[in-house]
Amino acid sequence: MDRFMAIDAGGTQIKWALVNERYQIEERGSIPTRTDSADWVIDDFCSLVEPYRDVVEGIGVSMPGVFREGDSDGVVGGGGALNCLDGCPLGRILRERTGLATTVDNDAMCAASGECAVGALSGVGLGLMVVIGTGLGGAIVVDGQVLRGAHDLAGTVCFAPVDVRRPITFGTVYGDYASWLALRREVCAAKGIQESADIDGRKIFSWIDEGDEDARRGLDAYALTFDNMLLAFQTILDPEVIVIGGGISAHPELFGALDRMMDSARTLPIVPRPVIKRAGGGNDANLIGAVRTLLRSLGRERG
């Protein structure tokens, strides 16, 4: 059975997996992300591939940034938390250094593609993927394929403005109000404590699991904002389903809060109540989607 290397790079960690042609993960691991220089990141990618170079047919990379469809050089536009790679022809460099076919694509688009193959977007005519991370990723799916748009920005929900009277800039967009960092901000405010780096999603949801009412109140405030955002997407796209992915999507309490607060958010009956589902592939959706993108470039796409 053919195998492929999938790499999903974020600001905190680089996840990798060996994925077979049926999108089953056979091995996996992760390393911390070094974001100080492009050379370091590329060296880390190559170090992950090297032990498996003789047993994989190619590399599929998922990471933040804007990527032109069909760009064999895989030039990184932006790069988000990996902005040290901005302008880097990452796909060409990895292909030359490893000798393997390589594709590079946006992480949210990879997640949506993975969900089309084996997750909650399978068989969906029109769907939206929203990925909660340090920022906010998004992608639109039409009949099993990711809609890219004229500039490969379709579904980039992170930069949608929260106030149309103000310029679009960091601090005034959905990514600032709906990321997991926004959840931390709401929970810490409700508890009357300072935000700190040691307060992560696991700690927040452990507080909620232990019955911390302040933490739950913060979660509800975050969920109300998130629901307001989802209703805006519902009016614009009218998707059949909105799939939520990212690290904190593993916690059922998040979806309970989204459901609980939707009645408060949805004040116009003409706007349909969104159908919200958790990503079936969980945090693996990016990895699977990266391999699906690779297979498509090789003319061997499945799903």
Side-chain angles (χ1 to χ4, degrees):
M1 186 177 292
D2 298 328
R3 294 193 290 179
F4 309 89
M5 172 66 75
I7 296 174
D8 178 34
T12 304
Q13 62 178 343
I14 300 173
K15 297 186 296 181
W16 65 270
L18 289 189
V19 183
N20 66 35
E21 60 188 347
R22 296 180 182 175
Y23 301 129
Q24 298 166 329
I25 292 179
E26 297 184 353
E27 295 183 44
R28 68 169 75 235
S30 66
I31 60 173
T33 304
R34 301 189 296 170
T35 59
D36 296 71
S37 76
D39 289 341
W40 286 6
V41 177
I42 293 167
D43 286 346
D44 285 342
F45 285 176
C46 291
S47 71
L48 294 175
V49 175
E50 183 59 31
Y52 302 96
R53 191 167 59 170
D54 294 334
V55 299
V56 298
E57 289 193 50
I59 309 164
V61 179
S62 158
M63 63 167 285
V66 180
F67 300 87
R68 300 298 296 181
E69 185 176 23
D71 176 16
S72 61
D73 284 344
V75 176
V76 180
L82 293 168
N83 59 11
C84 62
L85 291 172
D86 184 24
C88 174
L90 181 60
R92 172 160 53 85
I93 292 172
L94 291 178
R95 184 166 59 250
E96 291 173 351
R97 287 187 54 172
T98 65
L100 296 168
T102 303
T103 55
V104 189
D105 205 357
N106 172 265
D107 48 4
M109 290 187 174
C110 284
S113 184
E115 285 298 302
C116 287
V118 297
L121 288 170
S122 177
V124 172
L126 176 60
L128 176 67
M129 180 91 194
V130 178
V131 183
I132 305 170
T134 306
L136 195 70
I140 300 166
V141 166
V142 180
D143 295 330
Q145 298 296 331
V146 176
L147 180 68
R148 303 196 70 91
H151 304 92
D152 293 271
L153 283 169
T156 308
V157 299
C158 183
F159 302 123
V162 297
D163 184 348
V164 296
R165 298 168 298 179
R166 301 168 65 188
I168 297 176
T169 186
F170 293 111
T172 68
V173 293
Y174 279 146
D176 301 303
Y177 287 81
S179 69
W180 90 262
L181 295 176
L183 170 62
R184 183 172 71 185
R185 185 168 60 244
E186 292 283 8
V187 169
C188 288
K191 287 176 66 63
I193 61 175
Q194 292 290 323
E195 293 182 61
S196 62
D198 65 322
I199 300 175
D200 58 11
R202 292 184 183 88
K203 182 177 288 289
I204 288 170
F205 284 98
S206 71
W207 286 336
I208 293 167
D209 289 340
E210 292 164 3
D212 187 320
E213 290 301 321
D214 291 332
R216 182 172 294 277
R217 190 169 68 254
L219 172 63
D220 284 350
Y222 170 80
L224 180 59
T225 299
F226 205 96
D227 281 340
N228 288 334
M229 179 186 73
L230 296 185
L231 286 165
F233 299 154
Q234 189 70 42
T235 65
I236 295 168
L237 290 174
D238 197 21
E240 298 169 34
V241 62
I242 299 176
V243 176
I244 309 296
I248 67 171
S249 71
H251 298 279
E253 296 86 355
L254 171 66
F255 292 88
L258 292 175
D259 182 62
R260 186 165 60 248
M261 302 308 293
M262 185 59 76
D263 288 336
S264 297
R266 183 173 167 264
T267 57
L268 291 177
I270 195 172
V271 180
R273 186 184 181 98
V275 176
I276 303 170
K277 293 185 179 181
R278 177 187 171 189
N283 282 333
D284 293 337
N286 299 44
L287 296 165
I288 294 168
V291 169
R292 188 174 181 226
T293 299
L294 172 65
L295 290 177
R296 185 178 185 184
S297 74
L298 297 174
R300 296 163 56 184
E301 177 183 4
R302 292 176 60 97

